Amino acid sequence: MADTAISRPVARPLAIRHIVERSAATLILVGVGGWLLFNLIHAPAQFFSVAADGLNIGLLYALIALGYTLVYGIIDLINFAHGDLFMLGTLFSAFLLTTVFGQTTAGPVSWLLLLVTLVAVMAFCAVLNVLIELIAYRRLRMAPKLAQLVAAVGMSFILQFIGLKWNGSTPQQWPNVLPDGAIELGEVRISYSVLVVIAATVPLLLLMRWIVGNTRQGRAMRATAQDKDAARLMGINVNRTIAFTFALGGALAGAAGLMYQQVVGTTAYNLGYQMGLIAFTAAVLGGIGNITGAVLGGVLIGLIQAFNDGLPFGLGQQWSQSVVFAILILLMVFKPEGLLGRPTTEKV
């Protein structure tokens, strides 16, 4: 009887808190849905055009976010240098395609060399990421988490310094070789560059998903992420598996760098900070360590930014970052593990 009397007062506040949280989350979702519906009714053509642009940038966020979530999922490290690796990918792409290959306009030869550049920049960023893991992270794998975090921040500054020497202190504008024009479906206008980015990124995301889910190396990655010691006892080369994970994440960052450079046309030594922070936010939003969640988070953030910037009734571009992080904070309050993440408990 005493236990029952004690449990009732405890259970009642928990039930009330649960109802309040669900009610608040429902009100937020209803408010966002009503805002989108109002814009859709007011300007349907603009709504779908903006959605296409949001999908475009969202897929780039997803490519970068996968690098964060893959590394975190396998060694529990937030690789803050990953955004700067993406930045070096933009510089390498611009230098190779424009300076080395001499391509400044659209055409069949330029498009063929664009594919060559895509393969080259993916290889460049993959090798660089593996070297970063070998030099900076491998020796600290058994060290305290704070030491790994400091190493990641330090590597970020090193990559920024390389970008500063390569690009200069001011942003550089580069030509692109993507086809001009757009597809017009009634009043909806979708540029060819958006279609090119979608056509390039979606197969890469599907290929990465297949590698992780259906190949022997992918199974080794999942086993290492679950228990490194047990994986080692089962004959898995843990060091090689982790290096492969870094190579995979680096290759995706390189592909994102090329696509960004071609769509935006601007490179800057500090580009990795902003893009990396948003991509990391996308990984957290979807559920850090969850591959599907990283893609979902990237696409959602891209759409949120595009809707806020381009719809008739939005807060405007100057509020984009505030809107994105306000949504992230609200999500963390009501669902700390992310959209597709699983709740975890710390062992003591």
Side-chain angles (χ1 to χ4, degrees), residues 254-277:
L258 173 61
M259 294 296 104
Y260 181 91
Q261 185 270 323
Q262 285 295 298
V263 172
V264 179
T266 303
T267 58
Y269 79 95
N270 57 356
L271 176 65
Y273 173 76
Q274 180 180 2
M275 292 292 289
L277 185 61

Side-chain angles (χ1 to χ4, degrees), residues 192-208:
Y192 289 131
S193 61
V194 172
L195 299 178
V196 170
V197 171
I198 293 174
T201 54
V202 170
L204 287 175
L205 293 172
L206 294 176
L207 176 62
M208 196 278 302

Side-chain angles (χ1 to χ4, degrees), residues 253-337:
L258 173 61
M259 294 296 104
Y260 181 91
Q261 185 270 323
Q262 285 295 298
V263 172
V264 179
T266 303
T267 58
Y269 79 95
N270 57 356
L271 176 65
Y273 173 76
Q274 180 180 2
M275 292 292 289
L277 185 61
I278 295 175
F280 175 68
T281 302
V284 175
L285 180 65
I288 189 72
N290 188 295
I291 295 174
T292 305
V295 177
L296 176 62
V299 171
L300 284 177
I301 288 183
L303 290 173
I304 290 169
Q305 279 193 321
F307 286 145
N308 178 72
D309 298 349
L311 290 181
F313 301 98
L315 295 179
Q317 188 173 3
Q318 67 272 20
W319 289 94
S320 286
Q321 305 301 320
S322 300
V323 170
V324 168
F325 285 99
I327 292 175
L328 176 66
I329 292 170
L330 288 172
L331 177 68
M332 292 297 99
V333 170
F334 298 114
K335 195 172 175 58
E337 65 274 10

